[in-house]
């Protein structure tokens, strides 16, 4: 996989994780400025996704982003907010990790 794609994916994921964490904080405190900060982070993350779509194609960019968010948001939910997944849900996250590894595996494809 192209190192530039992976760098942009990492930056977009950090932005989306920040947005998700701030959104969860909004649920706890209900302050409007927290919601606006979350929306601003989501907007920046989506603008970064445009670059990813140019680098890797729409399918790969959106799929890789969704799976990375699936895994990383669950890590944040577990450590910061004490949320737990059931065994079946954990298996679903594990399948997401496998699918991302297969998607990012170097292959001859058209993007």
């Amino acid at each position: 996989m192209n190192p530039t794609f992976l760098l942009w994916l990492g930056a977009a994921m950090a932005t989306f994780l920040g947005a998700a964490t701030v959104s969860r904080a909004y649920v706890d405190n209900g302050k409007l400025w927290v919601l606006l900060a979350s929306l601003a982070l989501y907007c920046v993350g989506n603008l970064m996704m445009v670059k990813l779509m140019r680098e890797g194609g729409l399918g790969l960019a959106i799929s890789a982003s969704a799976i990375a968010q699936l895994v990383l948001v669950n890590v944040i939910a577990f450590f910061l907010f004490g949320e737990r997944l059931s065994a079946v849900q954990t298996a679903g996250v594990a399948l997401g990790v496998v699918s991302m590894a297969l998607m990012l595996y170097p292959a001859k494809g058209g993007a």
Side-chain angles (χ1 to χ4, degrees), residues 55-78:
E55 290 283 327
L58 175 67
L60 180 61
I62 297 299
S63 298
S65 172
I67 294 167
Q69 287 181 61
L70 165 79
V71 172
L72 297 172
V73 164
N74 276 291
V75 168
I76 288 173
F78 179 82

PDB file of all heavy atoms in Angstrom, residues 55-78:
ATOM      1  N   GLU A  55      -6.191   8.956  -3.677  1.00  0.00           N
ATOM      2  CA  GLU A  55      -5.025   8.076  -3.585  1.00  0.00           C
ATOM      3  C   GLU A  55      -5.376   6.611  -3.824  1.00  0.00           C
ATOM      4  O   GLU A  55      -4.660   5.912  -4.523  1.00  0.00           O
ATOM      5  CB  GLU A  55      -4.365   8.204  -2.208  1.00  0.00           C
ATOM      6  CG  GLU A  55      -3.666   9.504  -1.962  1.00  0.00           C
ATOM      7  CD  GLU A  55      -2.322   9.588  -2.654  1.00  0.00           C
ATOM      8  OE1 GLU A  55      -1.647   8.559  -2.782  1.00  0.00           O
ATOM      9  OE2 GLU A  55      -1.966  10.700  -3.070  1.00  0.00           O
ATOM     10  N   GLY A  56      -6.441   6.129  -3.177  1.00  0.00           N
ATOM     11  CA  GLY A  56      -6.707   4.698  -3.187  1.00  0.00           C
ATOM     12  C   GLY A  56      -8.018   4.280  -3.807  1.00  0.00           C
ATOM     13  O   GLY A  56      -8.313   3.097  -3.863  1.00  0.00           O
ATOM     14  N   GLY A  57      -8.810   5.229  -4.239  1.00  0.00           N
ATOM     15  CA  GLY A  57     -10.118   4.897  -4.777  1.00  0.00           C
ATOM     16  C   GLY A  57     -11.191   4.964  -3.701  1.00  0.00           C
ATOM     17  O   GLY A  57     -10.904   4.851  -2.508  1.00  0.00           O
ATOM     18  N   LEU A  58     -12.416   5.142  -4.140  1.00  0.00           N
ATOM     19  CA  LEU A  58     -13.546   5.309  -3.225  1.00  0.00           C
ATOM     20  C   LEU A  58     -13.744   4.085  -2.337  1.00  0.00           C
ATOM     21  O   LEU A  58     -13.859   4.200  -1.116  1.00  0.00           O
ATOM     22  CB  LEU A  58     -14.820   5.595  -4.028  1.00  0.00           C
ATOM     23  CG  LEU A  58     -16.119   5.678  -3.237  1.00  0.00           C
ATOM     24  CD1 LEU A  58     -16.095   6.898  -2.339  1.00  0.00           C
ATOM     25  CD2 LEU A  58     -17.303   5.712  -4.170  1.00  0.00           C
ATOM     26  N   GLY A  59     -13.775   2.899  -2.940  1.00  0.00           N
ATOM     27  CA  GLY A  59     -14.057   1.683  -2.172  1.00  0.00           C
ATOM     28  C   GLY A  59     -13.035   1.420  -1.092  1.00  0.00           C
ATOM     29  O   GLY A  59     -13.389   1.148   0.064  1.00  0.00           O
ATOM     30  N   LEU A  60     -11.766   1.489  -1.451  1.00  0.00           N
ATOM     31  CA  LEU A  60     -10.715   1.216  -0.477  1.00  0.00           C
ATOM     32  C   LEU A  60     -10.677   2.281   0.613  1.00  0.00           C
ATOM     33  O   LEU A  60     -10.575   1.964   1.801  1.00  0.00           O
ATOM     34  CB  LEU A  60      -9.350   1.126  -1.166  1.00  0.00           C
ATOM     35  CG  LEU A  60      -8.166   0.833  -0.249  1.00  0.00           C
ATOM     36  CD1 LEU A  60      -8.343  -0.513   0.439  1.00  0.00           C
ATOM     37  CD2 LEU A  60      -6.875   0.876  -1.027  1.00  0.00           C
ATOM     38  N   ALA A  61     -10.792   3.537   0.232  1.00  0.00           N
ATOM     39  CA  ALA A  61     -10.715   4.622   1.220  1.00  0.00           C
ATOM     40  C   ALA A  61     -11.839   4.533   2.246  1.00  0.00           C
ATOM     41  O   ALA A  61     -11.584   4.591   3.456  1.00  0.00           O
ATOM     42  CB  ALA A  61     -10.748   5.978   0.515  1.00  0.00           C
ATOM     43  N   ILE A  62     -13.063   4.377   1.778  1.00  0.00           N
ATOM     44  CA  ILE A  62     -14.203   4.338   2.701  1.00  0.00           C
ATOM     45  C   ILE A  62     -14.166   3.062   3.543  1.00  0.00           C
ATOM     46  O   ILE A  62     -14.410   3.103   4.755  1.00  0.00           O
ATOM     47  CB  ILE A  62     -15.527   4.454   1.924  1.00  0.00           C
ATOM     48  CG1 ILE A  62     -15.611   5.797   1.200  1.00  0.00           C
ATOM     49  CG2 ILE A  62     -16.719   4.263   2.857  1.00  0.00           C
ATOM     50  CD1 ILE A  62     -15.578   7.017   2.089  1.00  0.00           C
ATOM     51  N   SER A  63     -13.839   1.928   2.919  1.00  0.00           N
ATOM     52  CA  SER A  63     -13.795   0.666   3.663  1.00  0.00           C
ATOM     53  C   SER A  63     -12.701   0.678   4.724  1.00  0.00           C
ATOM     54  O   SER A  63     -12.931   0.276   5.871  1.00  0.00           O
ATOM     55  CB  SER A  63     -13.569  -0.497   2.699  1.00  0.00           C
ATOM     56  OG  SER A  63     -14.641  -0.591   1.794  1.00  0.00           O
ATOM     57  N   ALA A  64     -11.509   1.111   4.356  1.00  0.00           N
ATOM     58  CA  ALA A  64     -10.406   1.156   5.323  1.00  0.00           C
ATOM     59  C   ALA A  64     -10.727   2.115   6.462  1.00  0.00           C
ATOM     60  O   ALA A  64     -10.465   1.812   7.635  1.00  0.00           O
ATOM     61  CB  ALA A  64      -9.111   1.567   4.631  1.00  0.00           C
ATOM     62  N   SER A  65     -11.326   3.241   6.135  1.00  0.00           N
ATOM     63  CA  SER A  65     -11.703   4.209   7.158  1.00  0.00           C
ATOM     64  C   SER A  65     -12.750   3.628   8.108  1.00  0.00           C
ATOM     65  O   SER A  65     -12.631   3.760   9.323  1.00  0.00           O
ATOM     66  CB  SER A  65     -12.243   5.479   6.491  1.00  0.00           C
ATOM     67  OG  SER A  65     -12.785   6.345   7.445  1.00  0.00           O
ATOM     68  N   ALA A  66     -13.742   2.982   7.552  1.00  0.00           N
ATOM     69  CA  ALA A  66     -14.818   2.430   8.386  1.00  0.00           C
ATOM     70  C   ALA A  66     -14.291   1.354   9.336  1.00  0.00           C
ATOM     71  O   ALA A  66     -14.651   1.328  10.520  1.00  0.00           O
ATOM     72  CB  ALA A  66     -15.918   1.855   7.491  1.00  0.00           C
ATOM     73  N   ILE A  67     -13.435   0.490   8.840  1.00  0.00           N
ATOM     74  CA  ILE A  67     -12.926  -0.590   9.687  1.00  0.00           C
ATOM     75  C   ILE A  67     -11.958  -0.046  10.735  1.00  0.00           C
ATOM     76  O   ILE A  67     -11.991  -0.457  11.897  1.00  0.00           O
ATOM     77  CB  ILE A  67     -12.279  -1.691   8.832  1.00  0.00           C
ATOM     78  CG1 ILE A  67     -13.370  -2.356   7.982  1.00  0.00           C
ATOM     79  CG2 ILE A  67     -11.581  -2.720   9.700  1.00  0.00           C
ATOM     80  CD1 ILE A  67     -12.858  -3.227   6.880  1.00  0.00           C
ATOM     81  N   ALA A  68     -11.108   0.887  10.344  1.00  0.00           N
ATOM     82  CA  ALA A  68     -10.196   1.490  11.324  1.00  0.00           C
ATOM     83  C   ALA A  68     -10.987   2.188  12.423  1.00  0.00           C
ATOM     84  O   ALA A  68     -10.665   2.065  13.614  1.00  0.00           O
ATOM     85  CB  ALA A  68      -9.248   2.467  10.635  1.00  0.00           C
ATOM     86  N   GLN A  69     -12.039   2.892  12.041  1.00  0.00           N
ATOM     87  CA  GLN A  69     -12.881   3.547  13.048  1.00  0.00           C
ATOM     88  C   GLN A  69     -13.588   2.527  13.920  1.00  0.00           C
ATOM     89  O   GLN A  69     -13.698   2.719  15.132  1.00  0.00           O
ATOM     90  CB  GLN A  69     -13.908   4.449  12.365  1.00  0.00           C
ATOM     91  CG  GLN A  69     -13.307   5.709  11.787  1.00  0.00           C
ATOM     92  CD  GLN A  69     -14.349   6.582  11.144  1.00  0.00           C
ATOM     93  OE1 GLN A  69     -15.272   7.028  11.806  1.00  0.00           O
ATOM     94  NE2 GLN A  69     -14.213   6.811   9.849  1.00  0.00           N
ATOM     95  N   LEU A  70     -14.054   1.428  13.324  1.00  0.00           N
ATOM     96  CA  LEU A  70     -14.711   0.372  14.087  1.00  0.00           C
ATOM     97  C   LEU A  70     -13.813  -0.115  15.219  1.00  0.00           C
ATOM     98  O   LEU A  70     -14.231  -0.189  16.373  1.00  0.00           O
ATOM     99  CB  LEU A  70     -15.053  -0.803  13.154  1.00  0.00           C
ATOM    100  CG  LEU A  70     -15.409  -2.130  13.818  1.00  0.00           C
ATOM    101  CD1 LEU A  70     -16.839  -2.088  14.321  1.00  0.00           C
ATOM    102  CD2 LEU A  70     -15.210  -3.278  12.857  1.00  0.00           C
ATOM    103  N   VAL A  71     -12.584  -0.398  14.893  1.00  0.00           N
ATOM    104  CA  VAL A  71     -11.656  -0.933  15.887  1.00  0.00           C
ATOM    105  C   VAL A  71     -11.262   0.141  16.895  1.00  0.00           C
ATOM    106  O   VAL A  71     -11.354  -0.061  18.115  1.00  0.00           O
ATOM    107  CB  VAL A  71     -10.401  -1.517  15.196  1.00  0.00           C
ATOM    108  CG1 VAL A  71      -9.341  -1.887  16.212  1.00  0.00           C
ATOM    109  CG2 VAL A  71     -10.779  -2.711  14.333  1.00  0.00           C
ATOM    110  N   LEU A  72     -10.837   1.289  16.408  1.00  0.00           N
ATOM    111  CA  LEU A  72     -10.295   2.315  17.302  1.00  0.00           C
ATOM    112  C   LEU A  72     -11.359   2.958  18.184  1.00  0.00           C
ATOM    113  O   LEU A  72     -11.082   3.278  19.347  1.00  0.00           O
ATOM    114  CB  LEU A  72      -9.545   3.360  16.486  1.00  0.00           C
ATOM    115  CG  LEU A  72      -8.317   2.801  15.747  1.00  0.00           C
ATOM    116  CD1 LEU A  72      -7.734   3.845  14.803  1.00  0.00           C
ATOM    117  CD2 LEU A  72      -7.274   2.317  16.729  1.00  0.00           C
ATOM    118  N   VAL A  73     -12.562   3.131  17.674  1.00  0.00           N
ATOM    119  CA  VAL A  73     -13.632   3.690  18.511  1.00  0.00           C
ATOM    120  C   VAL A  73     -13.974   2.713  19.631  1.00  0.00           C
ATOM    121  O   VAL A  73     -14.248   3.125  20.760  1.00  0.00           O
ATOM    122  CB  VAL A  73     -14.867   4.059  17.662  1.00  0.00           C
ATOM    123  CG1 VAL A  73     -16.092   4.272  18.515  1.00  0.00           C
ATOM    124  CG2 VAL A  73     -14.584   5.309  16.842  1.00  0.00           C
ATOM    125  N   ASN A  74     -13.937   1.418  19.347  1.00  0.00           N
ATOM    126  CA  ASN A  74     -14.193   0.438  20.404  1.00  0.00           C
ATOM    127  C   ASN A  74     -13.099   0.458  21.461  1.00  0.00           C
ATOM    128  O   ASN A  74     -13.378   0.262  22.645  1.00  0.00           O
ATOM    129  CB  ASN A  74     -14.359  -0.964  19.812  1.00  0.00           C
ATOM    130  CG  ASN A  74     -15.768  -1.185  19.341  1.00  0.00           C
ATOM    131  OD1 ASN A  74     -16.689  -1.272  20.137  1.00  0.00           O
ATOM    132  ND2 ASN A  74     -15.952  -1.240  18.033  1.00  0.00           N
ATOM    133  N   VAL A  75     -11.859   0.706  21.066  1.00  0.00           N
ATOM    134  CA  VAL A  75     -10.770   0.833  22.041  1.00  0.00           C
ATOM    135  C   VAL A  75     -11.026   2.040  22.945  1.00  0.00           C
ATOM    136  O   VAL A  75     -10.901   1.950  24.173  1.00  0.00           O
ATOM    137  CB  VAL A  75      -9.408   0.943  21.322  1.00  0.00           C
ATOM    138  CG1 VAL A  75      -8.307   1.356  22.286  1.00  0.00           C
ATOM    139  CG2 VAL A  75      -9.066  -0.369  20.628  1.00  0.00           C
ATOM    140  N   ILE A  76     -11.402   3.161  22.341  1.00  0.00           N
ATOM    141  CA  ILE A  76     -11.703   4.366  23.134  1.00  0.00           C
ATOM    142  C   ILE A  76     -12.904   4.131  24.042  1.00  0.00           C
ATOM    143  O   ILE A  76     -12.890   4.501  25.221  1.00  0.00           O
ATOM    144  CB  ILE A  76     -11.934   5.579  22.211  1.00  0.00           C
ATOM    145  CG1 ILE A  76     -10.608   6.013  21.596  1.00  0.00           C
ATOM    146  CG2 ILE A  76     -12.578   6.740  22.968  1.00  0.00           C
ATOM    147  CD1 ILE A  76     -10.737   7.088  20.552  1.00  0.00           C
ATOM    148  N   ALA A  77     -13.955   3.503  23.501  1.00  0.00           N
ATOM    149  CA  ALA A  77     -15.147   3.234  24.310  1.00  0.00           C
ATOM    150  C   ALA A  77     -14.812   2.354  25.515  1.00  0.00           C
ATOM    151  O   ALA A  77     -15.333   2.564  26.612  1.00  0.00           O
ATOM    152  CB  ALA A  77     -16.220   2.564  23.450  1.00  0.00           C
ATOM    153  N   PHE A  78     -13.911   1.411  25.318  1.00  0.00           N
ATOM    154  CA  PHE A  78     -13.529   0.511  26.399  1.00  0.00           C
ATOM    155  C   PHE A  78     -12.707   1.234  27.467  1.00  0.00           C
ATOM    156  O   PHE A  78     -13.017   1.177  28.652  1.00  0.00           O
ATOM    157  CB  PHE A  78     -12.729  -0.671  25.825  1.00  0.00           C
ATOM    158  CG  PHE A  78     -12.260  -1.652  26.857  1.00  0.00           C
ATOM    159  CD1 PHE A  78     -13.111  -2.631  27.338  1.00  0.00           C
ATOM    160  CD2 PHE A  78     -10.963  -1.599  27.347  1.00  0.00           C
ATOM    161  CE1 PHE A  78     -12.681  -3.547  28.290  1.00  0.00           C
ATOM    162  CE2 PHE A  78     -10.520  -2.503  28.293  1.00  0.00           C
ATOM    163  CZ  PHE A  78     -11.381  -3.479  28.774  1.00  0.00           C
TER     164      PHE A  78
END
